[in-house]
Amino acid sequence: MTAVTLETRNLTKTFGALMATTDVSFRLEKGARHALIGPNGAGKTTFINLLTGVLKPSDGSVMLEGKDITALRREGRVQRGLVRTFQINQLFAGLNVVESLALVINEREGQGWRWLKPAFDAPGIDDEIAGLLSDFGLDSVFDQPCSALPYGKQRLLEIALAVACRPKVLLLDEPAAGVPEADRKEVMSRLAALPADVSILLIEHDMDLVFNFANRISVLVAGALFAEGSVEEISKDQRVKQVYLGGAAHA
């Protein structure tokens, strides 16, 4: 039986009379490449915010590796290995690529105060940075300010920063959004090359990317889990086609 890394049980969030998510029970298996799809307003962002601690649920729970993290703050979840990227890049505009990676790695190690020391002299940090630069195709822009990078490189850097946190679960919120077509394949190929033991939950509207990346898909509609299955099962599900794939998939 495959181990479950992340799980929600009857997760519910209300805003007054509005039910943003309703009794969502979801399981992310260890090493999964799992996509979360649904029409606009389906509650996908609310669900991710509940997973990451941005929002507190009205009911239900979130479990990471079998431990209840429902009451844990955002930073505590990151420290335990639950890491996300954002639909709109969240980068350190005043730093360059290497400085950004050094800051995240040292913060991860509880030594954020030393990130700007010459040669980044914390043991092994230079090798780790070099590996991340290579893995995400950032070698040629290592000394450029984050704000000056082409948008595709900014996306790759944001993912590299998330990986520098050593995630057990990586939540990717539309990683290809806004990326020029010529760079989209590189972003997705770098994601496909991530370590197999990192469990990935991908939110994405581009169904070609979803079908090429994911091995399992969950469909959220009106805040509730509407369908779940393999790529083949979801692509053939007539109910999913009617509410999402038939017309709204590329909206």
Side-chain angles (χ1 to χ4, degrees), residues 38-114:
N40 291 331
K44 300 185 297 295
T45 298
T46 298
F47 181 63
I48 293 298
N49 286 338
L50 290 168
L51 292 178
T52 54
V54 174
L55 293 173
K56 293 182 179 180
S58 304
D59 198 7
S61 59
V62 180
M63 314 287 290
L64 180 64
E65 294 188 318
K67 296 180 180 178
D68 194 325
I69 62 168
T70 312
L72 202 61
R73 294 169 62 90
R74 281 178 276 184
E75 57 271 24
R77 299 186 194 207
V78 173
Q79 291 166 359
R80 293 198 185 187
L82 180 58
V83 182
R84 75 177 291 183
T85 65
F86 293 83
Q87 185 176 353
I88 299 174
N89 284 336
Q90 305 287 312
L91 298 175
F92 305 111
L95 304 181
N96 67 29
V97 172
V98 169
E99 290 169 344
S100 298
L101 290 168
L103 175 59
V104 169
I105 293 169
N106 277 301
E107 187 64 33
R108 182 195 73 206
E109 298 299 319
Q111 302 183 73
W113 52 270
R114 68 180 297 164

Side-chain angles (χ1 to χ4, degrees), residues 11-43:
L11 200 61
T12 298
K13 180 63 180 178
T14 60
F15 296 97
L18 174 65
M19 298 285 288
T21 60
T22 307
D23 288 327
V24 178
S25 293
F26 169 85
R27 291 157 66 94
L28 182 69
E29 294 182 350
K30 184 174 178 61
R33 300 297 185 259
H34 198 130
L36 179 67
I37 66 173
N40 291 331

Side-chain angles (χ1 to χ4, degrees), residues 225-246:
L225 197 59
F226 181 77
E228 192 169 75
S230 67
V231 170
E232 183 178 8
E233 288 169 338
I234 294 300
S235 66
K236 293 179 178 179
D237 190 313
Q238 293 302 316
R239 299 178 310 136
V240 174
K241 287 182 178 181
Q242 289 175 3
V243 301
Y244 186 55
L245 297 180

Side-chain angles (χ1 to χ4, degrees), residues 197-214:
D197 61 346
V198 177
S199 306
I200 297 176
L201 178 59
L202 169 77
I203 297 178
E204 183 55 65
H205 282 285
D206 188 323
M207 295 311 300
D208 290 334
L209 294 182
V210 168
F211 288 153
N212 284 317
F213 180 80

